[in-house]
Amino acid sequence: MQALRDFGVTGFDVDDVVELGIHNVTARYIAEMKEAGLKDVDTEELVEMRIHNVTPKFVRELREMGFSNLPVDELVELSIHHVTPRFIRAMRQRYGEHLTLNQLLDMRLPVWKKCWAAANFRLFTNRYRFWHNIPAKTCIV
């Protein structure tokens, strides 16, 4: 509980502490996240980061690459879609240093996910194949 106070988390109760324990959010994890530069994070965000494998190393490497002060939801989104520092380095080497996080996410997401909101279609799955009724001009990638 002292680690939470040191991190700046206030107003937590026993339920919050139990949830942190269930998801293995340890004092060490909290301290390392603080060292990595995260500030003003509540217990729900700590749990969300732990569930989605946002590590202190991940946060630190992103900061070293110029992506500092990222909100927790962006860190989680990057982790979910496997936009790793290694992937970012590879894309920067290929396309240049100017890439934004949104561009990097677009490079990582499958085409059908990018088109999902833009195209009103149904996605049918059968073993390893996808059939869908997207018109050819609906999604340009």
Side-chain angles (χ1 to χ4, degrees), residues 87-105:
F87 174 77
I88 294 170
R89 281 189 290 276
M91 293 302 103
R92 281 181 166 180
Q93 184 177 4
R94 187 169 187 172
Y95 299 108
E97 295 287 322
H98 63 281
L99 295 172
T100 65
L101 286 179
N102 285 333
Q103 290 170 324
L104 291 161
L105 276 166

Side-chain angles (χ1 to χ4, degrees), residues 5 9 15 20 23 26 44 48 53-54 56 62 92 96 101 108 117 128 133:
R5 288 189 193 100
V9 178
D15 292 334
L20 292 171
H23 295 288
T26 62
E44 290 178 14
E48 185 178 11
N53 200 28
V54 176
L62 287 174
R92 281 181 166 180
L101 286 179
R108 189 53 116 178
Y128 306 107
N133 61 349

Side-chain angles (χ1 to χ4, degrees), residues 2-129:
Q2 185 60 41
L4 288 171
R5 288 189 193 100
D6 292 345
F7 195 61
V9 178
T10 58
F12 55 91
D13 58 12
V14 174
D15 292 334
D16 293 329
V17 175
V18 169
E19 186 176 13
L20 292 171
I22 289 170
H23 295 288
N24 199 26
V25 179
T26 62
R28 179 179 176 189
Y29 178 79
I30 294 169
E32 288 177 355
M33 283 302 207
K34 184 177 181 180
E35 289 173 15
L38 282 184
K39 297 175 186 151
D40 301 323
V41 178
D42 62 24
T43 55
E44 290 178 14
E45 292 172 323
L46 286 166
V47 168
E48 185 178 11
M49 287 189 295
R50 191 64 161 172
I51 288 170
H52 294 292
N53 200 28
V54 176
T55 63
K57 179 182 176 186
F58 179 73
V59 175
R60 193 171 33 257
E61 287 186 50
L62 287 174
R63 284 191 61 188
E64 290 168 1
M65 298 177 109
F67 300 111
S68 58
N69 300 323
L70 293 174
V72 170
D73 59 334
E74 284 187 31
L75 291 168
V76 169
E77 185 177 14
L78 293 171
S79 181
I80 288 171
H81 296 297
H82 306 287
V83 178
T84 62
R86 182 178 179 181
F87 174 77
I88 294 170
R89 281 189 290 276
M91 293 302 103
R92 281 181 166 180
Q93 184 177 4
R94 187 169 187 172
Y95 299 108
E97 295 287 322
H98 63 281
L99 295 172
T100 65
L101 286 179
N102 285 333
Q103 290 170 324
L104 291 161
L105 276 166
D106 284 345
M107 291 175 185
R108 189 53 116 178
L109 292 174
V111 173
W112 69 269
K113 283 186 181 179
K114 290 186 222 175
C115 298
W116 188 269
N120 186 9
F121 70 93
R122 293 184 184 149
L123 181 66
F124 298 95
T125 61
N126 184 2
R127 293 198 111 171
Y128 306 107
R129 304 170 96 184

